[in-house]
Amino acid sequence: GENVEQHPSTLSVQEGDSAVIKCTYSDSASNYFPWYKQELGKRPQLIIDIRSNVGEKKDQRIAVTLNKTAKHFSLHITETQPEDSAVYFCAASKGAQKLVFGQGTRLTINP
Amino acid sequence: DVKVTQSSRYLVKRTGEKVFLECVQDMDHENMFWYRQDPGLGLRLIYFSYDVKMKEKGDIPEGYSVSREKKERFSLILESASTNQTSMYLCASSLMSYGYTFGSGTRLTVV
């Protein structure tokens, strides 16, 4: 079955700098790749997603890139702010099937 | 806005007890999922259901069972709770696999 690896497990950046989180997946048939943000004590919430027919997607300060050949995708956050501090999860699925999640990255924004 | 409601935010149970975790969604979603969240391990799928009275094992089903008698309700059952089942349990629902909506989670402690 699908396996998703996420790195790094923790990431600390200065406010205003950029943050990058990377994920690799094993099943070349996977075609949907969402990213979830979980703030302390709250539920995970979808922040951005990408489908396999697209190489990059942006939404204000966040972007996701997908390399199907290498089977990896990344989350990029620019101009980081304190409210970006959270745990971020990547995930992958084939069509309408269940999501397989990465291990999570704890992002800390230092003022 | 889709709501996924988990009946308990915190639970403390004794080893050997039968434990029921309830999840209800209000948007007529076909798909419902139970995940377990542990630090460093991400979200691991326990069971899922694509329709009423349908259930499928996820990646870590041992020690758990589920029930889906009505479309809106998906129950997770710990047949005989053990200390290694102490964890955060997250329920999610979706119309397709795209865009899960998570519940707030149940933090279960087994003593």
Side-chain angles (χ1 to χ4, degrees):
Chain A
E2 175 66 278
N3 183 52
V4 177
E5 296 286 333
Q6 182 173 347
H7 299 279
S9 57
T10 61
L11 180 60
S12 183
V13 302
Q14 290 298 119
E15 184 177 350
D17 288 350
S18 295
V20 181
I21 302 170
K22 298 181 179 181
C23 290
T24 60
Y25 61 99
S26 61
D27 190 341
S28 57
S30 289
N31 58 5
Y32 175 64
F33 307 93
W35 286 87
Y36 287 80
K37 176 184 181 182
Q38 186 178 30
E39 296 178 47
L40 190 63
K42 297 191 176 181
R43 71 190 75 194
Q45 293 199 306
L46 179 69
I47 55 171
I48 195 168
D49 57 13
I50 192 168
R51 290 171 172 75
S52 60
N53 58 346
V54 175
E56 183 175 3
K57 183 176 179 180
K58 287 184 180 179
D59 183 3
Q60 299 181 3
R61 295 187 297 107
I62 61 173
V64 57
T65 58
L66 171 65
N67 183 326
K68 284 188 294 182
T69 303
K71 291 190 282 187
H72 66 73
F73 56 112
S74 301
L75 177 71
H76 304 254
I77 307 173
T78 59
E79 300 173 11
T80 53
Q81 300 170 4
E83 54 264 36
D84 295 329
S85 292
V87 178
Y88 291 81
F89 293 98
C90 62
S93 73
K94 289 182 281 193
Q97 295 186 20
K98 61 189 187 298
L99 288 173
V100 176
F101 287 85
Q103 295 84 352
T105 296
R106 182 174 299 279
L107 175 63
T108 302
I109 309 301
N110 301 309
Chain B
D1 198 22
V2 177
K3 283 196 173 64
V4 178
T5 303
Q6 294 184 230
S7 54
S8 302
R9 192 82 171 96
Y10 299 95
L11 273 179
V12 180
K13 296 292 181 180
R14 294 195 180 277
T15 301
E17 276 194 77
K18 191 168 186 176
V19 181
F20 294 85
L21 304 183
E22 305 288 345
C23 177
V24 178
Q25 49 94 3
D26 67 357
M27 282 299 290
D28 205 34
H29 283 176
E30 278 82 15
N31 306 332
M32 297 189 75
F33 307 85
W34 275 106
Y35 285 85
R36 171 177 171 162
Q37 182 176 10
D38 299 288
L41 298 177
L43 282 70
R44 293 180 292 165
L45 183 62
I46 305 171
Y47 267 96
F48 60 103
S49 170
Y50 289 151
D51 202 353
V52 177
K53 297 194 186 293
M54 175 269 180
K55 58 186 178 183
E56 286 199 39
K57 293 180 180 180
D59 299 318
I60 52 165
E62 296 79 18
Y64 304 94
S65 62
V66 290
S67 172
R68 194 165 182 201
E69 296 295 317
K70 294 185 178 182
K71 192 173 187 179
E72 67 271 18
R73 185 180 297 270
F74 192 35
S75 302
L76 179 69
I77 303 156
L78 285 66
E79 297 291 342
S80 176
S82 64
T83 54
N84 62 12
Q85 293 178 309
T86 291
S87 187
M88 170 68 83
Y89 291 88
L90 286 165
C91 174
S93 76
S94 71
L95 192 56
M96 299 288 282
S97 196
Y98 310 137
Y100 278 18
T101 298
F102 282 93
S104 294
T106 296
R107 184 165 293 283
L108 173 67
T109 301
V110 181
V111 298

